[in-house]
Amino acid sequence: MLKRDFHANITICGIQAKTIAEKYGTPTYIYSEKKIRQNYYALKEALNIMPFTSKIFYAIKACNNPYIARILVESGTGIDAASPNEIILAKLLGLSRNDILFTGNNLSDQDIKFAVDEDVIFNVDDETILPRIFRYGKPSILSFRINPGGDVSVTGQQTFGGSQAKFGISPSNAVHAYASAKNGGVNRFGIHMMPGSCALDVDYFRSNTKTLLNLANQIHNELDIKFDFIDLGGGLGIPYRDAQSPLDINAVGDAISSELRDIGGKLLTKNGRIYMEPARFFVGNAGVLLGKVHSIKPRPSGHIIGTDISMNVLARPAMYKEDGGFHRLMFDGSSDEAMVMAGICGQVCENTDFWDKNRRIPDSVEVNDLVVALDAGAYGYSMSYQYNGRLKPAEVLITESGEDILIRQRESIINMLDNIPLDSVLLDRLNKLKGE
Ligand SMILES: Cc1ncc(COP(=O)(O)O)c(C=O)c1O
């Protein structure tokens, strides 16, 4: 979606970065509808090889703008929701309960009641909440999130499974958990596992599928349960660095299929399906973040380039320190003939607000140049916040026909004060500041 010509004028889906910045300001997230659709169809096709029907749920937490999620829902996905509000978003997108999977954790009674009342597919993270679920009703269909335990590590990126993770139930508790659900009257089941995110390694998917199928087989043998779905989670990675290779998505389809071929029929009900719930793979490389250079501060160990894309706008670099938060950056208007090492940071008053302490960048970068962070479509806007009064950015969608449309306004101070019940003195002053 990004191009740079010899003179380093960046275009995003055919539109000059400069034009977008003039029209919408910075920082702004920009998404490509075309790329999101391409990503979806690539996965859909890769899963077509499977011996069983598959269904894909988009984990809306990665990018929760309804215009973005609608592209995927219109293409055929359901929604994986992490909270009641994300269930509401899924309903706003026109989905019915069978197309909404609820994978929350550490749920309040209110959360539980909401999910039971909506009767969405309840993916339970903690077997001890079963009595609380039954207090509100009996889900039509229920799954447990399995944490495979041990020492899970996902090449390059985040780990959600293993003995140190907060998610899921351990395999040794699984039979007991399903027995309790069955005794409580549940008669349709799924099983789920999602031990990591951003895996670029086909074997990760092969071995997770194997682990989950072994456990599903044990539950089937001991409790005579067949599954309406086996959910292999999300976790499909994208390369954030030049040195990384893209995940071979067709090989993932092959690996899962070969694990399923022999045993799937025994474990699945007649209309049973294989579920997946990716997010990053669909939207990660379909979004960029456009910002601006505001200062170049000399420093004996190399300049510090100050930009308006701070940790409150894209949290990943500050959040996933070890390796996980890397984004490539492109500077508009600068040729890369001579390169220097520099620190690159945002505007927030935290010393963790760095893109990189030492990044190789063009020597010609100047104040007011535009900067583009690549692969910012997933876990970008949806993790943004308002620290230091630096407000949430705008979001723009480039449609398949090449039109740019504003899909979320940049926040204003009025939005920031929105939920504060201002007393008459504060309100009066605010109105004066607004010129009313
Ligand atoms: C339960 C669950 N499903 C799916 C996803 C999507 O993960 P990914 O973006 O790695 O595909 C996540 C991400 O946190 C998750 O927690």
Side-chain angles (χ1 to χ4, degrees):
M1 64 184 281
L2 270 161
K3 281 216 174 80
R4 190 158 62 150
D5 67 21
F6 185 69
H7 301 290
N9 290 314
I10 299 173
T11 59
I12 302 167
C13 300
I15 304 175
Q16 285 222 317
K18 205 164 37 195
T19 308
I20 299 177
E22 278 164 10
K23 192 163 171 186
Y24 300 105
T26 62
T28 292
Y29 279 95
I30 304 147
Y31 307 96
S32 160
E33 176 177 5
K34 191 170 169 187
K35 190 76 189 154
I36 295 171
R37 285 194 200 280
Q38 279 173 356
N39 291 339
Y40 169 77
Y41 286 113
L43 179 61
K44 185 81 195 136
E45 216 172 288
L47 297 185
N48 272 346
I49 189 181
M50 282 207 290
F52 304 95
T53 315
S54 62
K55 183 168 170 72
I56 299 172
F57 293 76
Y58 166 54
I60 198 169
K61 62 179 70 112
C63 182
N64 60 17
N65 191 303
Y67 284 94
I68 301 298
R70 186 159 76 180
I71 297 168
L72 290 158
V73 166
E74 278 174 359
S75 304
T77 72
I79 291 288
D80 174 57
S83 65
N85 284 335
E86 288 191 349
I87 294 176
I88 294 170
L89 277 178
K91 293 183 74 178
L92 180 70
L93 293 165
L95 291 177
S96 58
R97 59 183 192 80
N98 286 328
D99 291 322
I100 306 173
L101 186 64
F102 177 45
T103 314
N105 67 94
N106 300 315
L107 302 179
S108 69
D109 282 342
Q110 236 177 342
D111 297 334
I112 294 171
K113 179 173 184 330
F114 187 84
V116 170
D117 288 349
E118 293 296 329
D119 202 15
V120 293
I121 306 167
F122 208 138
N123 190 21
V124 179
D125 180 75
D126 167 8
E127 71 274 29
T128 69
I129 70 165
L130 269 183
R132 290 163 63 206
I133 294 176
F134 291 143
R135 208 182 298 151
Y136 298 111
K138 193 187 67 180
S140 300
I141 178 160
L142 179 147
S143 56
F144 286 101
R145 177 175 188 165
I146 307 297
N147 179 342
D151 209 7
V152 173
S153 81
V154 183
T155 28
Q157 297 288 332
Q158 293 112 267
T159 302
F160 303 152
S163 53
Q164 298 302 312
K166 72 168 183 168
F167 299 103
I169 70 171
S170 76
S172 56
N173 289 346
V175 170
H176 181 257
Y178 278 91
S180 305
K182 196 175 172 188
N183 292 338
V186 177
N187 50 33
R188 290 177 63 204
F189 295 97
I191 188 164
H192 169 274
M193 197 166 90
M194 160 104 198
S197 184
C198 204
L200 290 169
D201 169 5
V202 174
D203 277 342
Y204 166 86
F205 296 95
R206 187 195 312 280
S207 80
N208 283 340
T209 308
K210 189 182 264 189
T211 305
L212 190 58
L213 291 176
N214 280 341
L215 190 62
N217 192 33
Q218 189 191 346
I219 294 163
H220 169 76
N221 290 340
E222 294 194 29
L223 302 174
D224 195 25
I225 280 176
K226 282 202 172 209
F227 297 93
D228 277 49
F229 66 86
I230 295 173
D231 185 340
L232 303 173
L236 301 158
I238 59 167
Y240 283 96
R241 294 175 183 268
D242 284 337
Q244 291 173 316
S245 307
L247 177 65
D248 183 344
I249 195 71
N250 292 314
V252 171
D254 280 344
I256 294 173
S257 300
S258 66
E259 293 301 325
L260 275 165
R261 201 156 281 123
D262 291 338
I263 198 165
K266 175 183 168 195
L267 300 177
L268 286 166
T269 57
K270 188 157 158 274
N271 296 315
R273 292 190 185 193
I274 304 305
Y275 285 2
M276 282 196 94
E277 47 187 56
R280 189 189 314 270
F281 184 79
F282 294 143
V283 292
N285 67 2
V288 296
L289 175 56
L290 179 61
K292 199 181 241 184
V293 174
H294 286 294
S295 65
I296 301 181
K297 188 194 270 191
R299 195 181 53 161
S301 54
H303 294 346
I304 298 183
I305 313 291
T307 76
D308 59 5
I309 39 181
S310 310
M311 63 195 280
N312 73 304
V313 172
L314 183 72
R316 297 187 71 257
M319 196 164 157
Y320 303 120
K321 270 290 163 216
E322 312 83 47
D323 183 40
F326 185 90
H327 286 262
R328 285 170 286 192
L329 297 173
M330 282 166 80
F331 293 87
D332 198 34
S334 31
S335 94
D336 41 16
E337 276 165 22
M339 304 293 278
V340 288
M341 298 305 282
I344 303 173
C345 65
Q347 298 175 296
V348 156
C349 298
E350 289 294 331
N351 208 33
T352 42
D353 185 23
F354 264 100
W355 283 83
D356 225 326
K357 295 255 160 106
N358 235 343
R359 177 78 67 98
R360 204 164 165 266
I361 63 157
D363 195 20
S364 56
V365 169
E366 288 178 0
V367 169
N368 285 331
D369 278 357
L370 295 173
V371 55
V372 182
L374 275 63
D375 307 313
Y379 310 104
Y381 186 95
S382 59
M383 284 191 182
S384 65
Y385 53 97
Q386 303 162 318
Y387 186 48
N388 280 190
R390 295 290 179 191
L391 304 181
K392 294 187 176 204
E395 291 185 293
V396 168
L397 176 66
I398 314 287
T399 64
E400 282 208 282
S401 58
E403 200 190 339
D404 51 291
I405 53 170
L406 183 66
I407 55 169
R408 179 141 28 197
Q409 303 261 21
R410 181 177 309 290
E411 272 191 340
S412 71
I413 183 70
I414 307 298
N415 303 129
M416 191 174 159
L417 296 173
D418 230 9
N419 292 330
I420 300 176
L422 298 178
D423 63 25
S424 57
V425 175
L426 295 171
L427 196 59
D428 195 41
R429 282 196 200 125
L430 179 64
N431 286 338
K432 283 198 183 110
L433 286 170
K434 287 193 313 194
E436 286 173 9

